[in-house]
Amino acid sequence: MENMTTNKSVLSWINEKVELVKPEKIVWIDGSQEQIEALRAEACSTGEMIKLNQELLPDCYLHRTAVNDVARVEGRTFICAPSKEEAGPTNNWMDPAEAYEMLYAIAKDSYKGRTMYVIPYSMGPVGSQFSKIGIELTDSIYVVLNMVIMTRVGTSVLEALGDSDDWVRGLHCKCDIDEEKRYICHFPQDNTIISVNSGYGGNVLLGKKCFALRIASYQGKNEGWQAEHMLILGLQKPDGEIRYICAAFPSACGKTNLAMLIPPEGYYKNGYRVWCVGDDISWIRKGADGRLYAINPENGFFGVAPGTNEKSNPNALASTRKGTIFTNVAHNLDNNTVWWEGLDKNPPANAMEWKGNPWNGQESEEKGAHPNSRFTAPAVNCPCISSEFENPNGVPISAIVFGGRRAKLAPLVYQSRDWNHGVFVGSIMASETTAAASGAVGVVRRDPMAMLPFCGYNMADYWQHWINIGAGLDADKAPKIFNVNWFRKDDDGNFLWPGFGDNLRVLDWIIDRCEGKVDAVETSIGFVPKAEDINLEGIEDEVSEAQLKEILSVDNALWADEIAGIEEFYGKFDRLPATLKEELEALKANIK
Ligand code: GTP
Ligand code: SPV
Ligand code: MN
């Protein structure tokens, strides 16, 4: 196949990698419909993908990964900066020269008898000042077809790149899917990513976490912008105006759900709407008017399937009804469709579970779908996709929201006193772990700004970067910073807040705070709503006033314990910004 570019940096890098992995042939991905169709057909002929019922789910496919390869592997993810100090205490580090040597030994000859796909892709609308280009080499058709949905792919990307060597190099080799030799390595100083021995999502769709967060966070630090694990939504009020909110929650903690929220009935009737700009990643920079603007660098949603249903997230479900790849869900053999826990109360009896074994969902105790099973759906499918989704200049941000899963402690919502206090609030985030990464589930861990697994450099320097960004903003233009917790539980383990669409009630308060329209109560941790300012109309049966007061309460005794955890965490950082130390001292004083 002919080269699709004359760019020397691209061709010489590909040649080098061809020498290393020795593919049988090379296929450039041009993004054309014919090519996509041919690849789908080929993947179906080898069993790599299963074509689903084309009447019910047009252009939809099912894929099963290896059983040992179902989530990101944080323990095998490395930041290969020149020194360990640059990677910081929260990242795994490997010396770059040693890492290259080890990875090349694993990758050597691994494409023998296989095809190398060359995927030129853009993170962000092609040609936008925010956007960045990458090239991923892969031996997986599944990766190609996912990248086609998740990013902008093909000829136009290479045209936009021209002769430039400002692009991110990505090499993915499936090898033998050997967990002992699985490595996801980042070389921020070289704009390079190498991923071996995996075929799953965040490990191999290199535009996503590897580039758009780990490499991009490092680029952003050097270039004065930010790459964040944040959704972007537009909240339309009855006046028709739309205010934009970015929110960072850890993996599988509600970003997709919040970004596509459908307002409760009363709100909806009054004209409230939520528009989705993005569900996972934000690239943020200061605009000419001095405000912060955000784009979603992705072009699709790689969303958690279990729990997605007509009630919890109808917009996400609708997004998956065409052109979608399902990974590790159950296969309903009666009608050749898919099923997952929480889709409906009627699991298929004649089915295969996510591993491909026969499964009777009516009788089996086993799960049909893996808890981290996902859909890869085109953003354009989403009924509430924002009209600004393709805006090359992004959307202006009014509020930044942090949040996580905390059964106790964190109130439903609180507002930071100012930007630096907000950075502190983000830095002390903690959340119960989920199935999105391999390892234990439900354990509380520190996950600052939801970036623990995704920050491409020293987290202390990342916090300083946040502080510097704020210092460059006029106070009246800086987004206000909040923290939310949809996951507070009572002593019997029941959620105290209904969540999902009802989270709009909290977003409404957040925007009112940004616009100075509502008062608040100052507590030791920040500003909390007065109970009467959270509108419970329509959910009075579910949330009593006492319950609301409970989830808005700040328990100083619990916070005193929390401080010990924060101090221990902060103690890991030699380069902790002085500002954060001061914020911690202020919190300690307030709690007393
Ligand atoms: P990644 O794609 O992994 O980054 O995750 P995400 O943050 O987009 O997570 P998502 O929105 O897919 O949330 C997944 C899980 O959170 C599911 O189990 C949902 O049921 C649950 N969830 C989302 N919103 C709420 C909520 O408001 N309340 C409760 N109780 N659960 C929620
Ligand atoms: C996450 O784990 O935060 C995800 C899914 O969004 S993955 O792309 O696998 O990282
Ligand atoms: Mn994510």
Side-chain angles (χ1 to χ4, degrees):
M1 192 170 175
E2 242 178 275
N3 293 333
M4 249 167 54
T5 178
T6 54
N7 181 311
K8 288 204 181 71
S9 64
V10 172
L11 295 179
S12 74
W13 181 75
I14 293 177
N15 281 340
E16 244 174 62
K17 297 302 166 276
V18 166
E19 283 304 304
L20 175 72
V21 300
K22 302 259 168 46
E24 186 177 289
K25 61 175 183 167
I26 301 172
V27 172
W28 289 72
I29 301 303
D30 61 18
S32 69
Q33 207 51 44
E34 301 91 276
Q35 190 182 42
I36 292 168
E37 280 308 330
L39 288 170
R40 285 168 165 171
E42 188 179 338
C44 289
S45 75
T46 61
E48 185 175 349
M49 299 215 301
I50 295 166
K51 192 171 191 164
L52 295 166
N53 185 321
Q54 295 297 294
E55 258 161 56
L56 298 173
L57 295 169
D59 295 326
C60 290
Y61 294 81
L62 169 64
H63 172 77
R64 298 188 190 108
T65 64
V67 174
N68 73 8
D69 189 28
V70 295
R72 284 182 295 100
V73 279
E74 295 180 1
R76 310 198 68 94
T77 299
F78 290 81
I79 302 298
C80 307
S83 71
K84 184 164 169 46
E85 184 62 16
E86 280 160 280
T90 54
N91 279 313
N92 300 311
W93 175 79
M94 223 187 283
D95 172 73
E98 283 172 26
Y100 279 125
E101 195 183 317
M102 177 197 69
L103 293 164
Y104 288 161
I106 295 172
K108 192 174 182 316
D109 299 340
S110 70
Y111 280 36
K112 275 226 164 122
R114 306 176 59 80
T115 301
M116 171 185 279
Y117 299 97
V118 180
I119 315 172
Y121 64 94
S122 175
M123 299 311 293
V126 178
S128 153
Q129 51 152 357
F130 279 83
S131 299
K132 299 257 177 196
I133 287 172
I135 294 181
E136 175 165 357
L137 306 180
T138 181
D139 54 347
S140 159
I141 297 182
Y142 170 75
V143 167
V144 172
L145 293 173
N146 273 273
M147 287 293 284
V148 163
I149 298 171
M150 294 305 296
T151 72
R152 283 96 171 161
V153 158
T155 322
S156 62
V157 175
L158 289 172
E159 278 163 12
L161 182 65
D163 295 334
S164 168
D165 73 350
D166 183 11
W167 53 278
V168 170
R169 288 110 176 107
L171 173 64
H172 167 237
C173 309
K174 275 203 314 201
C175 304
D176 309 312
I177 315 289
D178 177 351
E179 341 175 40
E180 300 301 317
K181 290 187 183 158
R182 185 170 300 155
Y183 292 97
I184 321 298
C185 292
H186 306 72
F187 302 84
Q189 282 71 13
D190 302 344
N191 273 340
T192 296
I193 305 156
I194 301 179
S195 165
V196 294
N197 276 298
S198 174
Y200 184 82
N203 297 333
V204 298
L205 308 179
L206 300 186
K208 196 172 176 57
K209 301 300 161 108
C210 299
F211 178 172
L213 288 177
R214 298 194 190 97
I215 298 286
S217 61
Y218 176 77
Q219 294 176 328
K221 180 193 65 149
N222 293 330
E223 298 166 10
W225 55 281
Q226 295 171 278
E228 300 295 339
H229 192 201
M230 290 179 177
L231 66 89
I232 311 167
L233 65 81
L235 175 59
Q236 182 176 336
K237 289 239 204 171
D239 63 9
E241 229 186 282
I242 301 176
R243 286 81 163 175
Y244 294 92
I245 298 175
C246 282
F249 309 152
S251 304
C253 288
K255 290 183 300 301
T256 304
N257 279 276
L258 193 70
M260 299 180 190
L261 171 159
I262 294 185
E265 205 181 313
Y267 280 90
Y268 193 90
K269 275 198 193 131
N270 288 337
Y272 279 83
R273 296 289 183 277
V274 166
W275 302 105
C276 174
V277 182
D279 81 326
D280 197 48
I281 299 177
S282 297
W283 284 1
I284 305 173
R285 59 172 77 219
K286 192 167 149 182
D289 64 358
R291 297 185 67 186
L292 287 183
Y293 283 74
I295 66 155
N296 169 12
E298 301 192 281
N299 203 27
F301 310 118
F302 186 60
V304 177
T308 306
N309 61 51
E310 202 46 69
K311 188 160 178 277
S312 66
N313 195 345
N315 285 319
L317 193 61
S319 305
T320 68
R321 298 297 93 175
K322 58 180 186 216
T324 293
I325 300 170
F326 297 93
T327 301
N328 293 341
V329 299
H331 189 194
N332 181 339
L333 297 175
D334 282 335
N335 61 4
N336 191 23
T337 62
V338 288
W339 193 86
W340 50 77
E341 278 64 28
L343 173 64
D344 54 40
K345 296 203 168 89
N346 191 25
N350 177 28
M352 273 168 152
E353 38 81 291
W354 66 274
K355 288 172 275 191
N357 301 310
W359 182 71
N360 181 338
Q362 299 285 338
E363 286 172 8
S364 176
E365 300 280 299
E366 308 256 299
K367 285 202 149 78
H370 186 275
N372 191 38
S373 55
R374 300 228 169 204
F375 52 80
T376 316
V380 291
N381 283 1
C382 183
C384 68
I385 195 73
S386 165
S387 59
E388 303 306 298
F389 173 68
E390 297 277 359
N391 187 334
N393 301 316
V395 293
I397 300 306
S398 298
I400 290 174
V401 179
F402 296 118
R405 287 178 188 259
R406 292 305 293 267
K408 300 281 168 202
L409 192 79
L412 180 63
V413 56
Y414 67 101
Q415 182 186 0
S416 67
R417 287 183 294 274
D418 53 31
W419 179 276
N420 282 349
H421 180 229
V423 176
F424 172 73
V425 167
S427 78
I428 65 165
M429 265 171 70
S431 189
E432 293 148 21
T433 52
T434 66
S438 61
V441 167
V443 183
V444 176
R445 71 166 184 186
R446 297 278 145 205
D447 190 350
M449 283 83 169
M451 283 288 278
L452 181 74
F454 307 121
C455 184
Y457 60 106
N458 191 312
M459 185 69 78
D461 297 342
Y462 165 84
W463 290 329
Q464 186 60 52
H465 184 51
W466 264 87
I467 293 165
N468 296 346
I469 293 280
L473 298 172
D474 293 340
D476 63 324
K477 302 219 164 118
K480 304 286 184 277
I481 303 181
F482 299 80
N483 192 86
V484 299
N485 179 18
W486 316 138
F487 300 90
R488 269 280 273 268
K489 287 183 177 167
D490 64 18
D491 292 335
D492 299 326
N494 306 305
F495 287 118
L496 283 162
W497 177 250
F500 300 98
D502 289 310
N503 293 333
L504 182 87
R505 300 168 193 274
V506 174
L507 297 183
D508 197 29
W509 182 82
I510 285 174
I511 293 299
D512 279 350
R513 284 298 292 169
C514 292
E515 297 179 347
K517 290 185 181 154
V518 63
D519 258 357
V521 186
E522 185 159 13
T523 73
S524 47
I525 61 168
F527 297 100
V528 170
K530 293 178 171 170
E532 65 264 29
D533 289 329
I534 298 292
N535 179 358
L536 295 181
E537 203 186 306
I539 51 168
E540 299 92 341
D541 294 350
E542 271 173 277
V543 185
S544 65
E545 229 180 279
Q547 205 169 317
L548 179 64
K549 285 197 174 133
E550 187 183 341
I551 41 179
L552 291 175
S553 66
V554 175
D555 183 335
N556 280 352
L558 283 182
W559 277 95
D561 294 342
E562 184 73 0
I563 282 171
I566 298 168
E567 282 187 317
E568 189 192 334
F569 183 58
Y570 272 7
K572 294 184 182 178
F573 298 92
D574 296 334
R575 284 144 66 158
L576 184 74
T579 309
L580 294 187
K581 240 178 250 170
E582 288 157 20
E583 290 291 344
L584 177 58
E585 291 311 315
L587 176 64
K588 273 165 126 175
N590 289 347
I591 294 296
K592 272 189 196 143

